[in-house]
């Protein structure tokens, strides 16, 4: 294997110091034309290839941001990742994809990567309640943007959708179809999206003078299996709901499976509204009515906010108060909602 030339080899060949070569390559030193030519000739003669990462680090930037998220098998997260890479590349940045599997130790690891300078900043998508560990780690760093879910108590830029409005629109749609006994299946109680969509659900009930019934609500996990189990639970009530607002499309899929197991049909026996508008929502039988939130807008806005923060830091600007950016949601009506069979 041929010997790989180093910056020291170039310096010796050109009869200059290693520091001179380094500063010349980093464009931080102006040299006499003769000296510059000797270095250029040495680089060509030795076929020297500069380590681009080392060069960028020497300039105080890796030109790479991280995206830490639970997984990419979930279509919602995959769409965020695709848009983050696209938006970052247009602005001259690479993206390191960091899969956390929703585990605290992995989230903590990627946050600490910021201290190595191999990442200029990090976009974090967590999907579980924080015990205070993430709040502490994020509090020690400023080049972070949170998207989709919050880590309470942190002072960094954040991008969320209008979850309260989404919960309200979903529930109101079911009320307008004639339903009065409306269930709600959702994720972990401590999550921002869960609390806000639940608040929207309760607001719509109150506006329609429908008494809130806690027995119709199931908190759990944003997983298909929980959607299935929670639906079974509701169906076994003495007076089951005639409609359910599921706060994710994955939960709605689990509900469909449970209803089919009982030989019940949607929307004849139960109406369903989901949340997310994942690609598969329109391919289900029946296609699911849902609240559309744009994963791409979340990803793109997260990149823009992070790079704006990094640019201000490089220019020596003092940190401006971190902002929370809210993106709109929209009700998508399909075939999973009908009037209840018995008023």
């Amino acid at each position: 294997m041929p010997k790989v030339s180093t910056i020291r080899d170039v310096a010796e060949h050109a009869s200059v110091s290693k520091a001179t070569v380094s500063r010349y390559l980093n464009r931080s030193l102006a040299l006499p034309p003769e000296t510059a030519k000797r270095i250029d000739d040495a680089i060509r003669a030795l076929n020297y290839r500069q380590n681009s990462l080392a060069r960028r680090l020497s300039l105080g930037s890796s030109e790479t941001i991280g995206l830490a998220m639970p997984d990419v098998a979930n279509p919602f997260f995959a769409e965020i990742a695709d848009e983050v890479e696209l938006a970052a590349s247009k602005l001259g940045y690479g993206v390191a994809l960091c899969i956390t599997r929703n585990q605290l130790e992995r989230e903590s690891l990627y946050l600490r990567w910021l201290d190595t300078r191999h990442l200029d900043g990090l976009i974090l998508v967590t999907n579980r309640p924080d015990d205070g560990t993430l709040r502490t780690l994020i509090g020690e760093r400023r080049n972070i943007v949170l998207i989709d879910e919050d880590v309470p108590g942190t002072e960094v830029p954040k991008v969320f959708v209008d979850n309260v409005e989404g919960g309200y629109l979903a529930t109101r749609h079911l009320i307008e179809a004639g339903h009065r006994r409306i269930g709600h299946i959702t994720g972990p109680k401590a999550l921002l999206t869960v609390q806000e969509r639940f608040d929207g659900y309760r607001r719509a009930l109150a506006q329609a003078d429908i008494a809130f019934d806690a027995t119709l609500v199931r908190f759990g996990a944003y997983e298909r299996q929980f959607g299935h189990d929670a639906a079974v639970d509701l169906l076994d009530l003495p007076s089951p709901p005639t409609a359910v607002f599921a706060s994710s499309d994955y939960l709605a899929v689990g509900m469909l499976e449970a209803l089919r197991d009982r030989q019940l049909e949607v929307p004849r026996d139960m109406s369903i509204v989901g949340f997310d508008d994942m690609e598969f929502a329109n391919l289900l039988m029946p296609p699911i009515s849902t609240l559309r939130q744009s994963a791409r807008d979340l990803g793109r806005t997260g990149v823009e906010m992070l790079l704006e923060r990094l640019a201000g830091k490089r220019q020596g600007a003092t940190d401006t108060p971190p902002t929370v950016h809210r993106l709109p949601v929209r009700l998508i009506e399909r075939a999973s909602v009908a009037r209840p069979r018995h008023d």
Side-chain angles (χ1 to χ4, degrees):
M1 180 180 293
K3 178 179 179 293
V4 176
S5 298
T6 66
I7 197 169
R8 182 185 298 277
D9 297 327
V10 172
E12 290 177 354
H13 195 284
S15 300
V16 295
S17 71
K18 180 180 171 184
T20 297
V21 176
S22 177
R23 292 180 63 194
Y24 172 69
L25 292 174
N26 291 334
R27 297 183 176 86
S28 62
L29 177 65
L31 292 174
E34 260 187 38
T35 308
K37 184 176 185 304
R38 287 208 312 273
I39 294 175
D40 290 338
D41 289 345
I43 289 171
R44 282 191 292 269
L46 297 172
N47 197 28
Y48 173 69
R49 296 288 185 270
Q50 188 180 12
N51 184 317
S52 60
L53 176 59
R55 178 186 65 78
R56 293 196 300 269
L57 291 177
S58 72
L59 296 174
S61 170
S62 68
E63 295 175 8
T64 301
I65 61 172
L67 171 63
M69 63 194 328
D71 65 70
V72 288
N74 183 317
F76 179 70
F77 293 139
E79 200 166 341
I80 288 177
D82 186 63
E83 187 62 29
V84 165
E85 193 283 329
L86 182 64
S89 65
K90 287 180 179 178
L91 296 169
Y93 275 76
V95 176
L97 182 60
C98 310
I99 304 302
T100 66
R101 306 192 189 285
N102 233 18
Q103 296 172 4
L104 173 61
E105 57 271 24
R106 284 176 174 260
E107 292 173 332
S108 301
L109 169 66
Y110 297 130
L111 282 165
R112 291 190 176 98
W113 272 17
L114 292 170
D115 304 331
T116 69
R117 295 172 57 211
H118 283 72
L119 295 177
D120 290 344
L122 183 72
I123 295 173
L124 175 62
V125 188
T126 187
N127 200 28
R128 54 168 198 80
D130 179 39
D131 63 1
T133 304
L134 290 183
R135 182 182 68 243
T136 300
L137 286 169
I138 291 171
E140 297 168 356
R141 297 158 179 86
R142 286 291 175 264
N143 45 345
I144 296 167
V145 170
L146 298 177
I147 65 174
D148 189 47
E149 285 289 357
D150 194 16
V151 177
T154 53
E155 296 293 328
V156 295
K158 303 172 183 182
V159 189
F160 308 134
V161 302
D162 193 343
N163 293 295
V164 175
E165 179 71 2
Y168 170 78
L169 292 174
T171 310
R172 189 183 70 177
H173 182 51
L174 293 168
I175 292 169
E176 289 175 345
H179 296 275
R180 304 283 296 177
R181 193 160 176 78
I182 301 170
H184 182 40
I185 297 177
T186 186
K189 196 169 187 177
L191 289 185
L192 170 87
T193 55
V194 171
Q195 279 300 319
E196 291 188 339
R197 293 170 195 179
F198 178 58
D199 288 347
Y201 161 77
R202 293 199 61 172
R203 189 179 100 193
L205 293 178
Q207 191 178 86
D209 292 324
I210 299 174
F212 169 67
D213 185 348
T215 66
L216 299 181
V217 179
R218 296 294 181 274
F219 293 99
Y222 276 139
E223 297 172 0
R224 187 176 71 181
Q225 187 60 49
F226 177 69
H228 175 281
D229 296 345
V232 169
D233 217 18
L234 292 178
L235 288 169
D236 286 340
L237 290 173
S239 179
T242 61
V244 172
F245 162 42
S247 66
S248 90
D249 289 344
Y250 264 175
L251 293 172
V253 170
M255 285 189 62
L256 285 174
E257 293 172 340
L259 290 162
R260 285 170 186 160
D261 289 346
R262 296 287 183 95
Q263 297 185 327
L264 299 174
E265 294 182 14
V266 175
R268 186 194 68 183
D269 300 299
M270 182 178 285
S271 292
I272 297 175
V273 176
F275 202 111
D276 291 329
D277 194 28
M278 294 183 182
E279 286 188 7
F280 62 73
N282 195 37
L283 304 176
L284 297 170
M285 291 300 292
I288 294 294
S289 296
T290 186
L291 269 294
R292 176 175 294 166
Q293 61 169 332
S294 175
R296 291 198 172 275
D297 286 349
L298 279 168
R300 181 171 57 257
T301 306
V303 170
E304 291 169 354
M305 293 179 77
L306 179 58
L307 296 190
E308 181 180 327
R309 197 165 179 81
L310 293 175
K313 185 177 177 182
R314 282 195 295 273
Q315 293 165 9
T318 56
D319 280 349
T320 56
T323 57
V324 177
H325 192 86
R326 289 280 182 176
L327 300 174
V329 295
R330 182 160 64 95
L331 176 66
I332 306 299
E333 298 183 34
R334 296 195 176 105
S336 62
V337 175
R339 295 194 64 81
R341 295 178 67 186
H342 306 290
D343 291 325

